[in-house]
Amino acid sequence: MSEYKILAISGSLRASSHNTALLRAAQKHQPGGLNIEIYEGLRELPPYDQDLDNPQDRPAVVNELRRLVAEADGLLIATPEFNYSIPGSLKNAIDWISTDWTKTEGLPLLRKPIAISGAAPTNFGSVRAQLALRQVFVWTESDVVVKPEVIMFRSYERFDEAGNLTDETSIELLKGLLDALKTKIDKSRA
């Protein structure tokens, strides 16, 4: 059995983010066969600029993210919800990795298996942000896991003070999401 490389991206820049903690929980509770690497460069990405969006002119941090996405077998995204949608920093990253204007590089997100999750302190969690994110991935023709949905509402009740996921239901849902991502990758390799 081979190990799949998963690039995990938190849509939150906060140091004590529950979404980043959710990705650490995914590393801890993964079902086996997944090597989950958490991307830490979201803050460094400049605003998307189509004039620079080609292999020669892109900033090095953008080329690095594109390389990581292209080399990953799948993505795991944890998004907070801002104004009923995804944070601008996450959308900006997706904009940078969704293109190939020169028709020479390939599209990093095309048919890429992706699992979406999210945590928020509100009673609805990140449900609207996840819907917005799914809509973006329709355009990129990514292969998004449909179920289970990991929508952690009142996220402050699910983590301890050290940022560890302690809620057993949330842990089981997260395991199910990772299993579904692994299955999707298996099918894409068949």
Side-chain angles (χ1 to χ4, degrees):
M1 174 207 247
S2 61
E3 188 171 73
Y4 294 131
K5 186 175 183 179
I6 306 300
L7 183 65
I9 301 172
S10 172
S12 177
L13 301 177
R14 289 181 57 239
S16 60
S17 162
H18 286 155
N19 285 283
T20 304
L22 185 57
L23 297 180
R24 287 192 303 271
Q27 288 175 318
K28 179 179 178 181
H29 298 290
Q30 63 103 353
L34 301 178
N35 177 9
I36 301 172
E37 173 188 343
I38 299 175
Y39 177 68
E40 296 183 1
L42 196 65
R43 184 183 303 277
E44 282 74 45
L45 295 173
Y48 179 77
D49 183 342
Q50 190 173 351
D51 287 339
L52 300 178
D53 192 8
N54 62 72
Q56 298 77 30
D57 296 326
R58 273 190 214 111
V61 293
V62 173
N63 280 328
E64 175 65 6
L65 175 59
R66 288 176 65 92
R67 182 188 67 76
L68 290 170
V69 170
E71 291 176 358
D73 296 301
L75 300 181
L76 172 62
I77 297 177
T79 184
E81 183 168 300
F82 293 168
N83 300 317
Y84 283 17
S85 192
I86 58 176
S89 55
L90 179 58
K91 177 63 167 60
N92 182 57
I94 293 168
D95 290 346
W96 276 118
I97 60 176
S98 66
T99 60
D100 178 13
W101 300 112
T102 62
K103 308 281 191 247
T104 60
E105 304 172 278
L107 297 165
L109 294 175
L110 182 64
R111 290 187 276 289
K112 181 71 67 178
I114 300 176
I116 298 171
S117 61
T122 63
N123 287 331
F124 290 102
S126 61
V127 69
R128 291 168 291 236
Q130 289 192 41
L131 286 172
L133 196 50
R134 289 175 193 280
Q135 185 176 353
V136 170
F137 290 135
V138 168
W139 173 255
T140 62
E141 295 183 59
S142 302
D143 192 8
V144 178
V145 172
V146 178
K147 288 186 179 180
E149 293 178 306
V150 178
I151 301 170
M152 298 178 72
F153 60 94
R154 292 194 311 267
S155 58
Y156 54 86
E157 296 176 353
R158 301 175 196 298
F159 294 89
D160 65 19
E161 289 186 18
N164 299 302
L165 183 60
T166 57
D167 180 68
E168 288 302 321
T169 300
S170 298
I171 291 169
E172 290 307 310
L173 283 169
L174 183 59
K175 286 179 180 178
L177 181 69
L178 294 170
D179 270 330
L181 178 59
K182 189 175 175 187
T183 298
K184 200 167 270 296
I185 295 168
D186 284 338
K187 288 181 181 177
S188 74
R189 299 282 183 250

